[in-house]
Amino acid sequence: MASTMKAAIFVEPNRIVLDDKKIPDVGPLDALIRVTTTTICGTDVHILKGEYPVARGLTIGHEPVGVIEKLGSAVQGYTEGQRVIAGAITPSGYSNACLCGCHSQDGAGTRHGFRPMGGWRFGNTIDGAQAEYLLVPDAMTNLAPIPDALSDEQVLMCPDIMSTGFSGAESGKVRIGDVVAVFAQGPIGLCATAGARLMGATTIIAVDSIPSRMEIAKRMGADHVVDFSKVDPVEEIMRLTDGRGVDVAIEALGRQQTFEAALRVLRPGGTLSSLGVYSEDLSIPLGPFLAGLGDHTIVTSLCPGGKERMRRLMDVIASSRLDTSPLVTHRFRLDDIEAAYDLFANQRDGVLKVAITP
């Protein structure tokens, strides 16, 4: 086995380059996987643009599909050569945060056991997945075997996009018979649309302006698609709901405009489920907030992780409850990842998600 690997490395804002890096050593609780497929996330673009700070020299990426190359001495229940995924969130499994169900806010090693966004390690606090090899910490908590019948691309959305999108519906506590609006139909918004349908929503209103995304939204479960470039989405959603508003509004973009629109379409007592990554302060308008007296719930979510979450998501794919294949619109080799970033960051050619292979 070689001692170095190719990896997509953050150099400085607006510059991620493919370079050589040492293949990591494997600790007792770790696993080294050979990455067979990965992708680029909108959060990676925030990192590229300098909107989310990470250390210079860090390998980027948090959506791995691969094969176990080497297991740590204390890892049990897995075999080398086994196909696996690991979530974008890799909780330790033993911190106070994990033990109360807040895996994404894992504070292993802290005095009190909580750390904001502490479960997000790949491509944030440790080297990530856009490389030939990836070191997975706490492997027994995070490695999920891939069913033989599923291809790499079929499970590529599970580590982050499906998990995050579904969490928008789950955190919003969508119930059977609910009316749900999903603002923005990028990959996460599309999975939020699908998640709302799986949880029992009977009227789903998707908001976007890109025709191809609006068409996929219908396939994912949207009953109505609102083109915000042609109509005021708030007015149209209120018309569709006969002035009642929606039970749950999911914001999947991370901008003031969409957050505010999501709040404006909520019925009294409704829930705003926020999935966006925000790069500026948010303000809450007094009118739709009903002066704080509207019994509204505003919840935020970070992608749930861990092997049981991954198993459940792969079961959704295996049972044909959801087909995520329309989300992969472009394919690149790792050698061409800089071109993939250029395409994805600039949202050209109808790109939704790219599949990166060795």
Side-chain angles (χ1 to χ4, degrees), residues 8-305:
I9 298 169
F10 175 76
V11 178
E12 59 188 2
N14 298 310
R15 191 171 175 220
I16 289 174
V17 301
L18 189 69
D19 205 347
D20 288 336
K21 202 165 192 175
K22 181 181 180 295
I23 295 174
D25 297 324
V26 181
L29 295 174
D30 303 331
L32 183 70
I33 68 170
R34 175 172 51 83
V35 179
T36 54
T37 310
T38 188
T39 184
I40 299 172
C41 178
T43 305
D44 299 330
V45 176
H46 284 291
I47 291 170
L48 171 65
K49 293 179 177 179
E51 296 169 349
Y52 184 89
V54 299
R56 293 171 187 258
L58 187 77
T59 302
I60 304 304
H62 49 260
E63 297 162 276
V65 181
V67 175
I68 297 174
E69 185 78 16
K70 186 176 180 180
L71 291 169
S73 58
V75 177
Q76 301 177 6
Y78 299 90
T79 58
E80 293 177 359
Q82 190 173 21
R83 295 174 64 227
V84 291
I85 63 172
I89 301 301
T90 51
S92 65
Y94 55 79
S95 70
N96 289 0
C98 289
L99 293 174
C100 74
C102 297
H103 300 92
S104 301
Q105 314 304 324
D106 178 24
T110 67
R111 180 173 55 83
H112 46 69
F114 288 83
R115 180 184 289 117
M117 301 181 293
W120 174 29
R121 295 191 270 182
F122 290 147
N124 182 24
T125 58
I126 64 174
D127 280 339
Q130 292 167 15
E132 291 181 292
Y133 293 92
L134 172 70
L135 189 72
V136 179
D138 299 300
M140 289 188 290
T141 302
N142 292 300
L143 287 182
I146 302 170
D148 291 340
L150 297 181
S151 69
D152 280 11
E153 282 198 11
Q154 283 180 290
V155 300
L156 181 58
M157 299 303 123
C158 295
D160 183 359
I161 300 305
M162 268 182 75
S163 192
T164 302
F166 280 17
S167 75
E170 291 165 312
S171 297
K173 293 182 169 55
V174 173
R175 297 184 298 176
I176 292 171
D178 269 355
V179 179
V180 177
V182 184
F183 287 83
Q185 294 296 295
I188 287 176
L190 288 166
C191 286
T193 296
R197 180 185 63 174
L198 286 169
M199 292 189 71
T202 49
T203 302
I204 301 172
I205 305 166
V207 181
D208 209 284
S209 66
I210 299 173
S212 59
R213 295 188 178 194
M214 293 190 290
E215 190 57 40
I216 295 174
K218 294 176 185 175
R219 294 166 60 181
M220 293 289 194
D223 301 284
H224 304 279
V225 178
V226 174
D227 184 342
F228 68 81
S229 69
K230 296 180 179 178
V231 297
D232 182 305
V234 174
E235 291 181 359
E236 182 63 10
I237 290 170
M238 295 308 289
R239 185 189 70 80
L240 289 169
T241 61
D242 195 27
R244 173 184 181 272
V246 303
D247 298 289
V248 180
I250 300 174
E251 197 287 320
L253 186 61
R255 294 183 183 171
Q256 174 70 35
Q257 184 179 10
T258 44
F259 180 90
E260 187 171 323
L263 184 60
R264 289 183 182 278
V265 300
L266 277 185
R267 64 160 171 82
T271 299
L272 193 165
S273 180
S274 171
L275 292 176
V277 178
Y278 301 93
S279 53
E280 297 178 346
D281 287 345
L282 285 172
S283 61
I284 296 178
L286 184 63
F289 192 53
L290 300 179
L293 303 174
D295 286 326
H296 292 133
T297 300
I298 299 176
V299 295
T300 63
S301 302
L302 176 58
C303 168

